[in-house]
Amino acid sequence: MTSRSQARLGRSIALHLFLTPLALIWLFPLWMMVVFSTMPDNGIFSPGIELLPHGGFLDNVNNLQRDTNFVGAIGISVSVAVTYTVLSVLLTSMAGWALARYEFHGKGAVVAIIFGTITLPYAVVLIPQFIMVARDFALANTWIALIVPPLFNSLGVLFMRQAFSMMPAELFDAARVEGVKEWRIFLFVALPLARPMLAALAIILFLASWNNYLWPLLINSQPGAMTAPVALGTLIGLTKVSWGGIMAGAVMLTVPMLIVFVLLQRHFIAGIAAGAVK
């Protein structure tokens, strides 16, 4: 083994020795969530520290389903998240394409405004958005209210603008010379080339919709149309909190997303890297 290989191996071992404890610290709360999901409410706050799962997970799931119809809430969350992701990816891609490939009056001001919206805290626009949707448009307790208001994602627009800016303009000019219409260039040339960035953006947007709590809580007051995070929040009452049910629901919401991320992390990392380097 050459000295360079030995040095590379030594750096790899040192890096793993440094990162492994950090990974265990990050994973410990998730493991305790799994452990608590298998314990009754009175066992969660027992004086002793339990590090191994018990056998009460199905009991907590049954109680959760009885109190909240959690399976139906998960179905609503999946439907909302998938619809939101597809529409938002299409919308942000179209906006990013226009900002990257077309010149028009006021383009710089539009980009500056989009940059500025990223700095605004969500709480600043939450109440005006609620008044407009619920009072002016009378769309409270509808799927339109859950999906449409958050559709425009400033970070997604800038991300796709960067992705399309990296592509060679000669490729699109050649397609125009051949008489290909603009919408076909966008759909059949630009989007396939941006597939890694689209995959990364789709993962980010899906997780954002899946974990969204505050907006669905405000705009939807019907118990039978709650998303899964809102349904979990109903278990916190004034006199009683079903901690076992909350932990079981949190596991049911978290584990599938971790599995999806692990399976798609190659596309996610490739999309982030491709969109960040010009």
Side-chain angles (χ1 to χ4, degrees):
M1 182 179 293
T2 63
S3 58
R4 180 176 298 179
S5 299
Q6 291 178 346
R8 187 182 298 112
L9 178 61
R11 288 194 298 268
S12 177
I13 294 174
L15 181 63
H16 281 79
L17 290 176
F18 174 73
L19 292 179
T20 299
L22 295 179
L24 294 176
I25 293 173
W26 181 83
L27 290 173
F28 183 72
L30 296 178
W31 174 249
M32 292 308 300
M33 177 183 68
V34 174
V35 173
F36 289 154
S37 70
T38 64
M39 300 172 62
D41 292 344
N42 56 2
I44 293 177
F45 295 99
S46 60
I49 300 177
E50 299 286 345
L51 296 178
L52 297 177
H54 291 234
F57 180 76
L58 291 180
D59 293 334
N60 288 330
V61 170
N62 290 332
N63 294 334
L64 175 64
Q65 177 64 19
R66 181 196 62 208
D67 295 336
T68 64
N69 186 24
F70 196 66
V71 173
I74 288 180
I76 294 173
S77 287
V78 171
S79 301
V80 170
V82 170
T83 305
Y84 166 79
T85 301
V86 172
L87 295 178
S88 187
V89 166
L90 180 60
L91 180 64
T92 54
S93 298
M94 293 170 64
W97 171 257
L99 292 175
R101 291 301 172 185
Y102 297 120
E103 296 296 331
F104 53 89
H105 184 69
K107 176 180 175 180
V110 172
V111 174
I113 291 173
I114 295 175
F115 268 110
T117 58
I118 297 179
T119 65
L120 288 176
Y122 183 56
V124 173
V125 299
L126 182 63
I127 299 303
Q129 179 176 284
F130 172 78
I131 293 174
M132 181 177 64
V133 174
R135 186 191 66 185
D136 299 338
F137 294 156
L139 291 175
N141 299 313
T142 64
W143 281 52
I144 294 177
L146 286 174
I147 297 172
V148 173
L151 273 183
F152 183 81
N153 186 277
S154 301
L155 187 61
V157 172
L158 297 175
F159 183 73
M160 293 310 301
R161 171 177 173 265
Q162 175 67 14
F164 291 131
S165 298
M166 294 165 50
M167 299 177 185
E170 293 80 5
L171 180 64
F172 307 119
D173 293 337
R176 293 187 183 97
V177 170
E178 294 295 328
V180 181
K181 296 183 181 299
E182 290 294 325
W183 66 272
R184 293 181 64 89
I185 294 175
F186 172 69
L187 288 180
F188 300 110
V189 180
L191 289 186
L193 291 175
R195 190 175 302 168
M197 288 73 81
L198 290 173
L201 180 61
I203 293 173
I204 294 172
L205 294 177
F206 184 87
L207 291 178
S209 179
W210 182 261
N211 295 320
N212 194 7
Y213 174 77
L214 187 55
W215 177 248
L217 175 66
L218 286 178
I219 202 61
N220 194 349
S221 60
Q222 295 180 353
M226 291 181 178
T227 59
V230 177
L232 277 184
T234 61
L235 296 178
I236 302 177
L238 295 176
T239 59
K240 180 184 177 181
V241 179
S242 179
W243 290 112
I246 291 175
M247 293 295 106
V251 169
M252 295 172 65
L253 291 179
T254 302
V255 171
M257 293 301 100
L258 288 178
I259 294 174
V260 169
F261 181 79
V262 169
L263 294 177
L264 299 179
Q265 63 175 332
R266 177 172 61 88
H267 302 284
F268 179 77
I269 295 174
I272 294 297
V277 179
K278 185 173 181 179

